[in-house]
Structure formats: structure tokens, C-alpha cells
Amino acid sequence: MLKKALERTETLWPPLKKAYEMVYQAAHILAHHEQGTAAQVREAYQAYIKHMQEQKSSLGTLSAAIDHFVEITEHFAPGLFYCYDVPDLPRTNNDLEHCFGVARAHERRATGRRGAIPGVVVRGSVRLIALLVSIRENLQAADLQSTNYQAWRDLRSQLYYREEARRQQFRFRKNPAAYLAALEAQLLM
């Protein structure tokens, strides 16, 4: 039965193999083993995409798959190459999700909460960056000193704004009628 199935599909395998090789080569370029800049990787990748379009006629019915691959590539191209110029920026969604997963696991371990942690909503931008930097680097006390006080003040005001929004939400959930009455009194003043 297997032999009969292979004989019937024998003509389908060469184009499939060639299409797989094309996609695999595109992935190899994005894997960035040559350690070039983002511009170099973009140039090599776009040249290979052009080559794929030239070769798609040899794939028969799979040429539509190459068209789809090229369309998706063009859609994601504007943000696809930043990771090559920024050190330690995760290259794939899986790597990025791993970073967030590590942060979530640390928060869960520190607080004992299994669900969403309100502090992450308010201070997430600071906590996430602090966590990722502390994992990758051995920080000393001098590294934690702020050198740009205006940026520090701006960040503190953003955090205060978020904390105040969370307080207002809590007050509303605790006693909606009193909260709305106080808000109405403020507006009528």
C-alpha cells in the first residue's frame, strides 16, 4: 500500500523538495551566522526573495506558496531586521515569549500569586527591564545610580499616573455609588 502511494505521488516530491530548500535557505539567511549588520542581512534576504520569485515557476502548483511567503515577508519586513543591530534583542517570537515567561515566573515566585499581578500592570515597564538586565549582567551599586534625573522624574510621574489610575479603579469597585457621587461633586465645583 505504501509503495503504491509513493508511486502515485512520485511527481509531487521534487517540487516539494525544492520549495523546502528555498524556505530553508531563507531561514539560514535570517539565522545570521555571518554576523553582519541589519542592512547587510536585509540586502542578502531581499536578494534571495527575488531569486525565489524567479525560481517559483519550476515549482508547479507550489508557486502559490512562494507568492504567499513573499507577501508575508513584505508585510513583516519593516520590523524584521532590527534585532541584528541591537545586541541581546531576541530574534524570534519564541525567544521574546521566553523572556516574558521568565519575568512571569519570577513575579509568581516572589508574590505567590498565580493570576495576573497588579504590580506588573503599574510597574511592568520598570520590572521587566530590571529583570532582563539583572539576568544578563552582574550589576553593582554604582550601576544602579541614575545619571539622567529628568528621565528618572518622567518615569516616576508615569508610574504615579498608573498607580493613581489603579487606586481610582479600586475605589470604584469598592463603592461605585460613593465614587460617582464624589466625582459628580468635583465636576460641579
Side-chain angles (χ1 to χ4, degrees):
M1 185 165 79
L2 184 59
K3 186 177 179 183
K4 193 186 289 185
L6 286 173
E7 287 173 1
R8 287 184 181 170
T9 60
E10 185 177 4
T11 59
L12 300 175
W13 290 106
L16 188 61
K17 182 179 178 189
K18 186 165 183 163
Y20 174 78
E21 289 170 356
M22 288 177 157
V23 172
Y24 185 79
Q25 180 60 33
H28 177 74
I29 292 169
L30 291 177
H32 193 240
H33 298 295
E34 290 77 27
Q35 301 298 318
T37 64
Q40 292 168 332
V41 175
R42 178 190 310 250
E43 185 178 315
Y45 190 72
Q46 288 176 338
Y48 190 72
I49 292 295
K50 188 175 183 180
H51 171 74
M52 286 175 76
Q53 288 176 312
E54 292 167 356
Q55 298 294 317
K56 76 178 180 182
S57 61
S58 65
L59 298 177
T61 57
L62 287 177
S63 64
I66 296 300
D67 288 336
H68 181 69
F69 183 84
V70 170
E71 180 183 329
I72 297 299
T73 296
E74 288 174 357
H75 177 72
F76 286 107
L80 192 58
F81 302 99
Y82 288 120
C83 62
Y84 301 108
D85 284 338
V86 179
D88 297 326
L89 182 66
R91 297 242 166 96
T92 65
N93 284 347
N94 291 342
D95 293 340
L96 192 58
E97 296 242 350
H98 175 72
C99 290
F100 286 113
V102 167
R104 190 171 42 248
H106 283 288
E107 286 286 338
R108 186 177 292 159
R109 195 175 304 130
T111 63
R113 288 182 155 201
R114 296 187 71 189
I117 300 162
V120 173
V121 174
V122 175
R123 298 180 180 270
S125 61
V126 175
R127 287 183 179 184
L128 183 63
I129 291 170
L131 173 74
L132 294 176
V133 168
S134 66
I135 289 172
R136 298 198 194 301
E137 297 179 19
N138 184 14
L139 296 175
Q140 304 299 320
D143 297 329
L144 300 176
Q145 277 185 312
S146 180
T147 55
N148 185 345
Y149 291 108
Q150 186 57 44
W152 179 78
R153 286 185 192 103
D154 292 344
L155 181 62
R156 292 294 302 165
S157 69
Q158 288 175 3
L159 291 176
Y160 177 77
Y161 176 77
R162 289 187 196 137
E163 287 172 352
E164 185 57 32
R166 293 282 301 172
R167 268 194 293 277
Q168 296 299 329
Q169 291 169 4
F170 175 75
R171 288 178 186 151
F172 178 76
R173 282 192 309 271
K174 187 176 178 184
N175 190 349
Y179 177 82
L180 293 173
L183 192 60
E184 186 178 341
Q186 268 184 337
L187 290 172
L188 295 175
M189 286 183 162

